Amino acid sequence: MDLRSPAARAATVPRTVACALALLVAVSGCAGSGVDGTPGADGVRDPYFPKLGNGGYDVTHYGLTLGYDPDGRHLTGTAEITARAAKNLSSFNLDLKGLDVSAVTVEGKAARFQRAGQELRVRPADELDRGETFVATVRYSGTPETITDADGSEEGWLKTADGALALGQPAGSMAWFPGNHHPSDKASYDIVITVPKGLTAVSNGELTRESTKNGRTTFAWHSAEPMASYLATVAVGEYEMKTTATEDGLPVITAVDPSQAKAGKKALAKIPDILEWAEYNFGPYPFSSAGAIVDREEDAAYALETQTRPVFPGPPETGLIVHEMAHQWFGDSVTPRSWRDMWLNEGFATYAEWLYEEDQGGDSAQDTFDALYEGEDAEDSEAIWDFPPAKPTDAAHISDAPVYERGAMVIHKIRRAVGDDAFYDIVQGWAKTYRHKNADTRDFTEYVEKHAGSDEAREKVSRIWGDWLYGDGKPDRP
């Protein structure tokens, strides 16, 4: 009980209210300044690349404005990254290897940043609320690096005879633009590249603008469908670029090094027919254009399924075109959730080669399976059983024979277990269900079991997982 007089009590009320209001303002001010925000993780803990990618946000769009001088090997870039905060963020990371960062802004305000290895940590002036969409702009320049993978292959920014070629699997894209470089975070892209007049700059998607001014030519490319960053590419050189179309009107954009033009023309002329075959087997083509880039053999040591525009070192054989076009469904549209799921890319693309050969009157898929199992090539046959397709031993082996050939053998075993009608329903349904999304091995096995048809077929595919997908060594053949 308050024993003071009414007057004394009344005199103290304003001061009490004032203190309460002051406390409320202080609390509100702290909340507005984002004291609840925490840093985003510096990696998504991929089983083989734990520092790749970043936590706390999802990128929805990359706007990359690049300038490249091949003579000086100098790249200038501005990356406008549109993302959504997945939590209250006090800071976040971007993957960027090499290159010099001159400025970073978030929502137009200067942001503090620091470098640590491949990490670019950004601290916005105003902390970001969960669910907030924001734009981070990074200005950078320098000589982009060529990265040597764990398996000894080269990626990143490769110097070519007349320019450059950017290849990103699994982590090379961080050599030429900052981003969330893990396949689990897909986004749309606008890539604008300015190069010396006389050179061509090719990228993914469709060419929306080409203009020349002051001795330099700008090429603007747009990719509306989601793309993992490892599938983004830039090729700068003296290409012969051509646009044709399939019977359904799908643009087919090809860029061929002049030294490869004669042989390359014959090879690339097969693309429309191969796409028609693939659509019949796998379902509708998942992107708004197709095509290819053909460079010199010495410019790259391997082909890569860069989205809508696979890269080939020299004129490709038909089987290789089939493989990389199949990746547009399996790998590009349906993208692995982690690099442990690589077999979902390569097993399907390799099996596409077997199916195409079979449909063209060559060896059946069963013939190819038998030859691999019986070990007609002893060295390759031994390598197939080194580890299960779904459990590569480490980052250096995610592109080894078990992932490709034994992965394809798993697909063939499924076909034999469920029958052709159910098999093609599964393949097309899988591509449709996860179109433009990410999926992992568990998603796939559950999908197959759900759509296998009979209980007997489900039992068969369940044994396939244990013996062929996850089992060590060479399985017994029933």
Side-chain angles (χ1 to χ4, degrees):
M1 178 179 294
D2 192 345
L3 300 178
R4 291 172 296 172
S5 67
R9 290 199 300 270
T12 63
V13 169
R15 288 195 296 274
T16 303
V17 171
C19 289
L21 289 174
L23 178 61
L24 179 62
V25 169
V27 170
S28 300
C30 290
S33 65
V35 293
D36 291 333
T38 56
D42 61 357
V44 297
R45 302 303 180 257
D46 184 276
Y48 303 119
F49 302 91
K51 289 293 187 180
L52 200 59
N54 300 283
Y57 64 94
D58 297 307
V59 179
T60 58
H61 183 74
Y62 289 97
L64 306 179
T65 303
L66 309 174
Y68 187 63
D69 173 20
D71 290 339
R73 298 191 64 194
H74 187 73
L75 177 74
T76 58
T78 298
E80 291 189 353
I81 303 165
T82 304
R84 182 186 62 83
K87 55 181 284 188
N88 294 332
L89 284 175
S90 59
S91 66
F92 60 90
N93 283 31
L94 298 167
D95 299 314
L96 182 65
K97 186 173 178 61
L99 300 171
D100 299 316
V101 176
S102 58
V104 179
T105 62
V106 177
E107 288 297 277
K109 296 182 180 180
R112 289 182 290 170
F113 63 91
Q114 63 186 53
R115 305 292 296 276
Q118 70 184 48
E119 301 295 331
L120 170 63
R121 170 154 289 190
V122 177
R123 185 176 293 278
D126 300 316
E127 295 185 359
L128 302 169
D129 295 329
R130 180 180 180 181
E132 179 180 351
T133 296
F134 63 94
V135 176
T137 302
V138 182
R139 300 184 187 280
Y140 59 99
S141 62
T143 301
E145 296 183 14
T146 297
I147 299 171
T148 301
D149 289 339
D151 65 1
S153 60
E154 292 186 336
E155 57 168 329
W157 194 268
L158 310 180
K159 184 180 184 301
T160 63
D162 55 359
L165 176 63
L167 299 177
Q169 191 182 67
S173 293
M174 64 180 174
W176 58 281
F177 70 96
N180 197 14
H181 291 304
H182 189 266
S184 60
D185 192 2
K186 302 168 71 169
S188 58
Y189 281 73
D190 281 289
I191 301 179
V192 180
I193 319 127
T194 300
V195 295
K197 182 180 178 181
L199 297 181
T200 299
V202 189
S203 190
N204 314 84
E206 295 79 57
L207 182 65
T208 60
R209 175 170 57 89
E210 178 182 344
S211 60
T212 300
K213 183 179 180 180
N214 299 327
R216 295 180 68 79
T217 303
T218 298
F219 298 84
W221 295 87
H222 176 66
S223 296
E225 298 90 359
M227 177 166 65
S229 67
Y230 82 90
L231 298 168
T233 190
V234 166
V236 176
E238 297 175 354
Y239 296 105
E240 296 180 6
M241 192 159 63
K242 181 180 180 181
T243 300
T244 57
T246 65
E247 289 187 2
D248 294 335
L250 179 75
V252 179
I253 304 165
T254 57
V256 183
D257 185 279
S259 67
Q260 313 297 310
K262 185 176 180 179
K265 181 179 180 181
K266 183 178 179 180
L268 300 185
K270 300 176 183 178
I271 290 178
D273 288 341
I274 290 172
L275 288 173
E276 181 180 356
W277 172 86
E279 284 196 295
Y280 179 80
N281 286 278
F282 309 141
Y285 182 74
F287 302 112
S288 49
S289 68
I293 299 169
V294 179
D295 241 317
R296 296 174 174 88
E297 291 184 17
E298 61 269 23
D299 289 337
Y302 53 90
L304 188 63
E305 63 270 21
T306 42
Q307 192 159 301
T308 70
R309 204 129 304 119
V311 171
F312 299 100
E317 298 290 336
T318 300
L320 185 56
I321 298 176
V322 171
H323 184 103
E324 303 304 341
M325 292 303 161
H327 270 310
Q328 304 307 303
W329 283 261
F330 309 110
D332 294 13
S333 177
V334 184
T335 303
R337 187 167 282 122
S338 83
W339 287 110
R340 177 178 286 156
D341 306 301
M342 181 79 154
W343 83 274
L344 286 170
N345 294 14
E346 301 303 346
F348 266 113
T350 302
Y351 195 64
E353 295 182 63
W354 300 9
L355 289 176
Y356 188 83
E357 177 74 12
E358 179 177 275
D359 288 349
Q360 301 305 307
D363 290 343
S364 69
Q366 186 64 52
D367 290 336
T368 306
F369 180 99
D370 291 342
L372 287 169
Y373 189 87
E374 298 300 333
E376 292 184 5
D377 185 323
E379 183 178 350
D380 286 348
S381 180
E382 288 296 321
I384 289 172
W385 316 116
D386 282 350
F387 56 82
K391 294 195 302 183
T393 52
D394 54 39
H397 296 94
I398 62 171
S399 294
D400 281 8
V403 174
Y404 285 70
E405 281 80 11
R406 187 170 168 183
M409 295 174 91
V410 171
I411 304 299
H412 184 69
K413 293 287 291 185
I414 295 169
R415 179 185 175 189
R416 291 294 303 273
V418 303
D420 276 11
D421 289 345
F423 173 75
Y424 284 104
D425 286 346
I426 287 170
V427 170
Q428 294 180 21
W430 171 252
K432 180 180 180 180
T433 299
Y434 289 94
R435 180 184 175 96
H436 299 153
K437 299 176 183 177
N438 292 90
D440 60 22
T441 299
R442 182 175 180 179
D443 294 324
F444 180 71
T445 58
E446 290 180 349
Y447 187 90
V448 172
E449 290 178 9
K450 182 178 179 181
H451 296 87
S454 66
D455 289 340
E456 180 184 2
R458 272 187 284 275
E459 289 178 8
K460 288 180 179 179
V461 296
S462 181
R463 288 196 295 271
I464 291 168
W465 311 148
D467 295 341
W468 289 85
L469 185 57
Y470 288 107
D472 293 320
K474 185 176 182 179
D476 292 333
R477 186 172 180 179

